[in-house]
Amino acid sequence: MSVIKKAIVSQGSGPLNPSYFCVHSTANPGATAANHVTYWSRNPTIPMAHLVSDWTEAYHTVPYDRLVAHVGNGNSLCEGLEICEATNETDFQRGIQIAAQVVRERLAARGWDTGRLICHDEACRMWGGTDHTDPIPYFTKWGYSWDQFKQLVQGGTDMAITTDEAKQIAAEVWSYQYDPNQPNMYNAVQYEMGGKIWGYDYKKSAPGGNVYNTLVYETQGQLKELKTMVTAQTAAIEALSKSMGADPQQIAKAVQDAVKAKLDALEITVTATDGD
């Protein structure tokens, strides 16, 4: 499913048959993609790009086969995206993910690979007519690089989420509450595994019917539940992280650390009796 919304604000200034896709950043910190769409719609003759994205959405603003002024002497050679500049790390990370998906979609639509992907800084050095070096200064501000972005577009690993976000995911995984009346991704994975154990009554099946056996079978059942839960949630998180372009190993480690801390804190006492 495309992340790009259509919001054409200009028909450009002539035909375009591009050979490259050029990435920019707006140099307008905090201004959203919607802000730029509104501004460009009121000023359709000013420099703009074919697309603009921020940390929540992306817009297609000029037809892909129409010329716009965005890269100096390379205008006739490039389709382009403006990445809105975030003011915090969380928005920066989200914005990078959305921008990478936009670029990935457009390269695929053209039948191109990242060999056709350039930034404004490279275009400046290749063709001149502009002195801009974006998005390099914006990326550098957040400890990011152009090479990392190209790897992300290719589907490689990247610092897609912050450490705090990984910890939050781990906390949410551990505190998950099962609700049989509300099917969700977790339930789907669980039932696919054939582990319909939540409604199973271990007390009724305990051989001998005494307290000791009941506790043993209850404990075994709880351990099976825990194993199923962890396995299912791990699979769900891995699928989610891959769909976001995140690093599954980073998330998995955060979850592992959280689970280990919980298990280390558990105290289980089983008392055996001869009575029923």
Side-chain angles (χ1 to χ4, degrees), residues 48-101:
M48 63 181 74
H50 297 88
L51 300 127
V52 59
S53 68
D54 61 17
W55 36 94
T56 61
E57 57 192 353
Y59 290 98
H60 173 203
T61 56
V62 180
Y64 299 125
D65 61 352
R66 299 296 294 175
L67 184 71
V68 290
H70 66 111
V71 67
N73 294 339
N75 288 334
S76 63
L77 298 170
C78 296
E79 181 182 322
L81 164 70
E82 285 278 4
I83 300 176
C84 292
E85 297 197 359
T87 58
N88 62 75
E89 184 179 358
T90 297
D91 284 349
F92 172 78
Q93 293 286 359
R94 291 171 178 163
I96 286 297
Q97 295 295 326
I98 291 174
Q101 187 169 341

Side-chain angles (χ1 to χ4, degrees), residues 14 29 31 44 67 73 81 129 151 176 186 222 273:
L67 184 71
N73 294 339
L81 164 70
Q151 289 172 8
Y176 177 84
Y186 164 74
Q222 290 167 358
T273 69

Side-chain angles (χ1 to χ4, degrees), residues 99-101 103-105 107 112-117 144 146-158 245:
Q101 187 169 341
V103 174
R104 199 177 296 124
E105 286 185 29
L107 291 181
W112 297 345
D113 59 24
T114 53
R116 301 289 191 105
L117 177 60
Y144 201 68
W146 175 242
D147 284 341
Q148 283 177 289
F149 183 76
K150 291 182 73 172
Q151 289 172 8
L152 182 57
V153 171
Q154 288 176 322
T157 59
D158 187 72

Side-chain angles (χ1 to χ4, degrees), residues 4 11-12 20 47 53 86 94 109 125 127 144 148-149 157 184 191 203 205 217 230 243 252:
I4 304 170
Q11 290 299 315
Y20 297 90
S53 68
R94 291 171 178 163
R125 289 183 275 112
W127 302 305
Y144 201 68
Q148 283 177 289
F149 183 76
T157 59
N184 53 27
Y191 280 98
K203 290 185 178 180
S205 68
Y217 275 80
V230 171
S243 72

Side-chain angles (χ1 to χ4, degrees), residues 260-267:
K260 184 177 185 302
K262 288 285 185 179
L263 292 177
D264 288 344
L266 289 179
E267 293 184 6

Side-chain angles (χ1 to χ4, degrees), residues 108-164:
R110 295 282 188 187
W112 297 345
D113 59 24
T114 53
R116 301 289 191 105
L117 177 60
I118 62 173
C119 64
H120 198 160
D121 178 59
E122 290 173 318
C124 172
R125 289 183 275 112
M126 289 167 66
W127 302 305
T130 174
D131 59 1
H132 293 193
T133 60
D134 56 295
I136 305 305
Y138 174 55
F139 283 7
T140 302
K141 176 181 177 181
W142 298 105
Y144 201 68
S145 72
W146 175 242
D147 284 341
Q148 283 177 289
F149 183 76
K150 291 182 73 172
Q151 289 172 8
L152 182 57
V153 171
Q154 288 176 322
T157 59
D158 187 72
M159 55 175 197
I161 61 172
T162 64
T163 301
D164 287 343

